Amino acid sequence: MRTIIEPFRIKMTEPIHIISKDERIPLAFPRQVYTQNHFDYIIEVIKKVWKIRHSYTGLKITKQPKMLRHFSCHFENIT
């Protein structure tokens, strides 16, 4: 049995938020813009953040736009 979902016929009243146990952040860099020095700095910062990762408690979204929330949402520390 096959189900076909037509995206323009689905009506959602509430947004669906799927919370992952381990959220990943993809890193994508245009090679023509950044030099090796940029990448060396990024690696250095990621290593420093990784060493103190247990001190972070997490963030909670307190305010967000309806679309593209990752660009302009507001956060609060989780204690």
Side-chain angles (χ1 to χ4, degrees):
M1 176 183 250
R2 220 170 113 187
T3 305
I4 299 173
I5 299 173
E6 295 177 278
F8 297 107
R9 292 188 182 199
I10 297 173
K11 290 186 178 181
M12 295 177 58
T13 56
E14 292 292 323
I16 297 173
H17 299 289
I18 300 171
I19 299 172
S20 171
K21 181 180 175 187
D22 293 323
E23 287 198 36
R24 307 277 186 231
I25 300 172
L27 298 174
F29 304 102
R31 290 181 287 165
Q32 297 82 4
V33 178
Y34 296 101
T35 65
Q36 185 62 45
N37 289 337
H38 290 105
F39 291 108
D40 292 341
Y41 176 74
I42 291 168
I43 291 168
E44 182 181 326
V45 170
I46 290 173
K47 284 180 180 179
K48 286 181 181 181
V49 170
W50 183 257
K51 286 180 183 176
I52 60 170
R53 69 188 181 277
H54 299 295
S55 67
Y56 296 115
T57 57
L59 297 171
K60 175 175 71 171
I61 296 175
T62 57
K63 182 179 174 185
Q64 63 183 329
K66 290 183 180 181
M67 297 189 69
L68 299 174
R69 72 180 187 164
H70 54 280
F71 285 115
S72 59
C73 59
H74 296 246
F75 297 100
E76 182 178 283
N77 285 328
I78 297 174
T79 55

